[in-house]
Amino acid sequence: MKRMLLLAGVVLSLLSFRVSGDADTIISALKDGNAEQLSQYFDNMLDVKLPEKDEIKNVGKNQAGIAVKGFFADNHIKGFEATSQREISGTMYLTGKLTGGSKSYNITLMMKNKGDKTAIMTLRIN
């Protein structure tokens, strides 16, 4: 019984490192202003809200990627500072500030684990 609990603990620890690795890669993509790398973590369908645009619900991964790439390019996004990163009931939240040109934008990502990868379910920028 002790061995099973120990094995379960080791497996959970390894899984949490994988999630952390994905979160670190997502943060790195935001810091670099790399929308293409960020979009690799989009779920197949997600909700996207960009400044001065209506929220798009259940948009496909490719269309969301195009919209976010356009926003990053138009606003010269080149930096990110995380303000909060937490997990509640298997859902991960990442909030922070994107910087571009003379403006900064608040960003919130809601993510879940899908298999062995973290998937972005919601992306809101305002």
Side-chain angles (χ1 to χ4, degrees), residues 65-92:
I66 291 168
V68 172
K69 284 178 199 174
F71 173 80
F72 275 41
D74 292 346
N75 295 284
H76 310 288
I77 301 300
K78 296 293 180 202
F80 172 75
E81 184 179 325
T83 55
S84 177
Q85 185 177 351
R86 64 190 183 282
E87 183 175 347
I88 301 170
S89 301
T91 303
M92 293 164 281

Side-chain angles (χ1 to χ4, degrees), residues 38-51:
L38 177 67
S39 67
Q40 292 176 5
Y41 290 92
F42 288 174
D43 196 15
N44 292 330
M45 302 296 282
L46 64 150
D47 298 342
V48 176
K49 171 67 174 103
L50 298 175

Side-chain angles (χ1 to χ4, degrees), residues 7-48:
L7 181 61
V10 169
V11 168
L12 287 174
S13 295
L14 291 175
L15 288 175
S16 68
F17 285 126
R18 170 69 180 160
V19 170
S20 177
D22 284 350
D24 291 343
T25 305
I26 290 168
I27 290 170
S28 177
L30 291 167
K31 284 183 178 182
D32 294 340
N34 189 337
E36 189 169 325
Q37 184 180 14
L38 177 67
S39 67
Q40 292 176 5
Y41 290 92
F42 288 174
D43 196 15
N44 292 330
M45 302 296 282
L46 64 150
D47 298 342
V48 176

Side-chain angles (χ1 to χ4, degrees), residues 90-106:
T91 303
M92 293 164 281
Y93 297 92
L94 174 64
T95 60
K97 288 211 180 278
L98 290 172
T99 55
S102 62
K103 284 188 158 186
S104 65
Y105 302 89
N106 294 322

